[in-house]
């Protein structure tokens, strides 16, 4: 087991470079299956969700060559299987993209019910609705989802709920369907656009990604390409909040400032200074933090993945903040951890009310999921003492090199291997 040991109290200062977007990478890697050739994917974040996606591709028969830590050549010309090994698909939520990609390429796919963060119920009915409209059938047996189609034919699909995953799986499954597919009520997140751009570079004909309506004209054949993944909006936002919460001054490089606007606006209202450059933002704060009202919504609304980080910052704002979670049923599991640190946070259903306190206190902390874990790292940096965070594998699913990046900003954080539990039966 590993843990982070964090001695807080120092404002973060300096520069940090943001990695490629996790939620784009975990869709683009399965999408290389559609290229049926060689793709070179650049700016892949070095995180465990990407490692798991690469392992799945390898298990399906893809040839994978590491060019450098963030660049891989993936050759999907020859695939040997359409079944994603259960132990790998259960490691991350995004394994559901293999359903859409394999269905499109091979007419069938089998994936175990995806894992990932526990944020409440995570249905995939809208993904299956898209597959079925295109002519596929699906079944679930012993936790394995199977989809199958003799032929995929373009269709008009109206999503009942705005879903990032269903929008991306809709595109993946429609790319080679015969005729035109129209997807309505689509998610507009930057990673949706990134997947469409990648697929178009491979020969797809997808228009409208980033709007409510996406039109896909089925392509006869796809091919490989070289593609660089967009910067991670949430990783960038996390360092923005860390800078503001610790009263620091950080230049955050390799970002798309437009993608950060919902976060920038809130940070400015809270009293931080945010300067935008072509591909960087600088965040600093000197004065007191002001309380905020935040409602999480699909893009371009305030992103749910930033909600735990913002809440942590607002625990020391001067007044009462309210946070309404509009996407997930169970995304305040970190509130008990913050209460241990002396925060005044009351959760009632989908709403958290935070009464600012003067200072957070160090505590032993437990990361319940990826963003909650990142938020607790920031909380620990805001205290004047030493906190330990366990279950850090959640954090390492989505943040490349978080320890080195924070150390470079002056944080006192170390990753410590803890003693393995003592075996009950001693080895003879
Ligand atoms: N939903 C349905 N039916 C579906 C799909 C979704 O009812 O078939 C509901 C969900 O229950 C939820 C809402 O629709 O209430 C939105 O879910 P969405 O499908 O958009 O989420 P997702 O694709 O499973 C991605 C990110 C999440 C992020 C959400 C929302 C990936 C791999 N994950 O999840 O990221 O919170 O979009 O933006 O792209 C994270 O990075 O920490 C993370 C959890």
């Amino acid at each position: 087991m590993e843990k982070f040991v964090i001695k807080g109290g120092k404002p973060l200062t300096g520069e940090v470079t943001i990695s490629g977007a996790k939620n784009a990478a975990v869709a683009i890697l399965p999408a290389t299956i559609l290229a049926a050739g060689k793709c070179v994917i650049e700016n892949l974040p070095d995180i465990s969700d990407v490692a798991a996606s690469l392992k799945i591709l390898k298990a399906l028969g893809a040839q994978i060559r590491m060019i450098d830590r963030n660049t891989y050549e993936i050759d999907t010309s020859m695939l040997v299987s359409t079944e994603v090994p259960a132990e790998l698909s259960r490691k991350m939520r995004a394994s559901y993209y293999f359903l859409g990609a394999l269905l499109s390429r091979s007419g069938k796919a089998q994936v175990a019910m995806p894992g990932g963060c526990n944020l409440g119920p995570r249905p995939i009915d809208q993904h299956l609705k898209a597959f079925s409209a295109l002519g596929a059938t699906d079944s679930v047996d012993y936790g394995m989802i199977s989809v199958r189609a003799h032929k995929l034919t373009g269709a008009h699909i109206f999503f009942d709920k705005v879903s990032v995953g269903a929008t991306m799986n809709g595109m993946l499954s429609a790319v080679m369907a015969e005729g035109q597919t129209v997807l309505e009520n689509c998610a507009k997140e930057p990673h949706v656009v990134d997947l469409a751009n990648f697929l178009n570079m491979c020969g797809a004909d997808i228009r409208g990604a980033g709007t409510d309506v996406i039109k896909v004209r089925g392509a006869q054949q796809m091919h490989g390409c070289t593609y660089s993944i967009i910067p991670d909006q949430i990783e960038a936002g996390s360092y923005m909040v860390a800078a503001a919460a610790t009263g620091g001054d950080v230049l955050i490089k390799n970002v798309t400032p437009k993608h950060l606007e919902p976060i920038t606006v809130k940070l400015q209202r809270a009293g931080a200074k945010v300067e935008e450059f072509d591909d960087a933002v600088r965040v600093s704060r000197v004065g007191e933090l002001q309380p905020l009202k935040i409602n999480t919504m699909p893009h371009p609304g305030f992103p749910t993945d930033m909600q735990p980080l913002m809440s942590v910052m607002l625990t020391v704002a001067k007044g009462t903040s309210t946070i309404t979670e509009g996407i997930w049923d169970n995304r305040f599991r970190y509130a008990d951890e913050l209460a241990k640190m002396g925060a005044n946070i009351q959760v009632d259903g989908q709403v958290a009310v935070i009464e600012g306190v003067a200072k957070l206190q160090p505590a032993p902390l437990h990361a319940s999921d990826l963003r909650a874990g990142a938020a607790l790292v920031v909380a620990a940096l805001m205290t004047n003492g030493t906190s330990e965070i366990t279950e850090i594998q959640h954090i390492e699913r989505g943040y490349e090199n978080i320890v080195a990046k924070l150390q470079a900003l002056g944080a006192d954080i170390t990753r410590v291997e803890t003693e393995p539990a003592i075996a009950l039966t001693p080895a003879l």
Side-chain angles (χ1 to χ4, degrees):
M1 292 299 284
E2 301 83 25
K3 63 183 176 184
F4 288 158
V5 178
I6 300 174
K7 189 159 175 240
K10 287 191 207 158
L12 297 186
T13 54
E15 297 184 359
V16 62
T17 301
I18 296 308
S19 303
K22 167 180 90 83
N23 290 345
V26 294
I28 287 172
L29 288 172
T32 60
I33 288 173
L34 287 165
K38 266 187 200 167
C39 291
V40 174
I41 310 295
E42 301 168 346
N43 206 30
L44 272 171
D46 185 9
I47 53 175
S48 58
D49 270 12
V50 162
S53 305
L54 289 168
K55 274 193 196 152
I56 293 175
L57 282 169
K58 200 157 183 236
L60 297 175
Q63 303 288 314
I64 295 179
R65 189 165 69 85
M66 182 181 174
I67 295 175
D68 62 43
R69 185 179 158 170
N70 301 107
T71 311
Y72 283 80
E73 182 188 79
I74 300 158
D75 185 348
T76 57
S77 326
M78 304 281 283
L79 291 190
V80 294
S81 171
T82 55
E83 280 178 38
V84 175
E87 70 281 6
L88 291 174
S89 63
R90 291 210 174 92
K91 281 201 168 143
M92 55 165 193
R93 181 77 193 155
S95 46
Y96 51 45
Y97 292 127
F98 284 95
L99 280 176
L102 286 166
L103 178 67
S104 222
R105 160 103 182 246
S106 310
K108 59 180 180 163
Q110 213 178 11
V111 173
M113 282 304 238
C117 291
N118 177 5
L119 311 173
R122 297 190 73 167
I124 60 161
D125 57 300
Q126 298 302 305
H127 304 230
L128 300 178
K129 176 178 175 171
F131 300 153
S132 136
L134 296 170
T137 55
D138 60 78
S139 59
V140 181
D141 280 316
Y142 291 104
M144 293 296 285
I145 308 166
S146 303
V147 288
R148 186 176 277 275
H150 287 302
K151 184 181 170 201
L152 293 169
T153 310
H156 197 123
I157 299 154
F158 190 97
F159 292 115
D160 305 316
K161 183 123 197 176
V162 177
S163 158
V164 170
T167 302
M168 306 247 250
N169 248 337
M171 289 196 285
L172 288 169
S173 52
V175 145
M176 295 183 77
E178 192 178 287
Q180 177 168 270
T181 298
V182 179
L183 305 170
E184 286 207 59
N185 199 23
C186 293
K188 297 176 276 208
E189 270 66 3
H191 28 288
V192 172
V193 180
D194 209 35
L195 174 65
N197 288 343
F198 167 73
L199 289 169
N200 283 341
M201 292 262 297
C202 294
D205 182 350
I206 302 176
R207 294 164 199 212
T211 74
D212 294 324
V213 184
I214 298 178
K215 291 186 179 160
V216 186
R217 273 184 198 281
Q220 303 257 312
Q221 219 177 349
M222 306 270 287
H223 50 77
C225 73
T226 296
Y227 193 79
S228 182
I229 289 184
I230 52 164
D232 196 303
Q233 175 202 29
I234 306 300
E235 191 200 8
S238 303
Y239 285 99
M240 291 170 81
V241 169
T246 59
D249 185 349
V250 178
L251 182 68
I252 298 151
K253 301 196 300 190
N254 185 37
V255 302
T256 307
K258 180 85 191 147
H259 295 165
L260 302 174
E261 270 170 13
I263 304 161
T264 299
V265 168
K266 290 292 179 193
L267 285 177
Q268 286 169 332
R269 281 199 196 136
K273 183 171 169 196
V274 184
E275 289 169 82
E276 287 184 3
F277 305 96
D278 285 348
D279 61 355
V281 290
R282 179 176 172 186
V283 180
S284 58
R285 179 179 64 86
V286 180
E288 275 178 342
L289 280 166
Q290 301 304 316
L292 295 174
K293 285 197 175 17
I294 292 178
N295 290 275
T296 68
M297 279 181 239
H299 191 79
F302 189 84
T304 170
D305 296 343
M306 285 301 300
Q307 181 263 96
L309 288 129
M310 276 289 183
S311 297
V312 160
M313 184 185 84
L314 294 169
T315 57
V316 296
K318 214 171 162 42
T320 310
S321 300
T322 51
I323 315 276
T324 307
E325 172 56 46
I327 308 290
W328 299 114
D329 287 351
N330 192 8
R331 207 164 202 178
F332 289 120
R333 294 200 304 153
Y334 59 85
D336 289 345
E337 303 302 291
L338 290 184
K340 281 198 239 163
M341 304 178 85
N344 184 349
I345 172 166
Q346 307 295 329
V347 178
D348 186 4
Q350 298 304 95
V351 182
V353 177
I354 303 170
E355 198 70 55
V357 295
K359 190 89 192 156
L360 291 181
Q361 304 306 322
L365 301 166
H366 167 83
S368 56
D369 62 69
L370 167 61
R371 307 301 171 188
L376 293 179
V377 170
V378 175
L381 292 170
M382 290 159 65
T383 71
N384 276 340
T386 303
S387 302
E388 292 191 354
I389 305 181
T390 53
E391 303 287 323
I392 59 169
Q393 74 280 3
H394 292 298
I395 305 172
E396 293 177 339
R397 282 189 36 232
Y399 288 85
E400 174 171 329
N401 238 347
I402 186 169
V403 170
K405 287 186 186 187
L406 285 171
Q407 283 171 344
L409 295 174
D412 187 341
I413 172 170
T414 42
R415 185 181 193 278
V416 177
E417 301 278 335
T418 52
E419 293 287 314
I422 298 165
L424 290 177
T425 318
L428 295 174

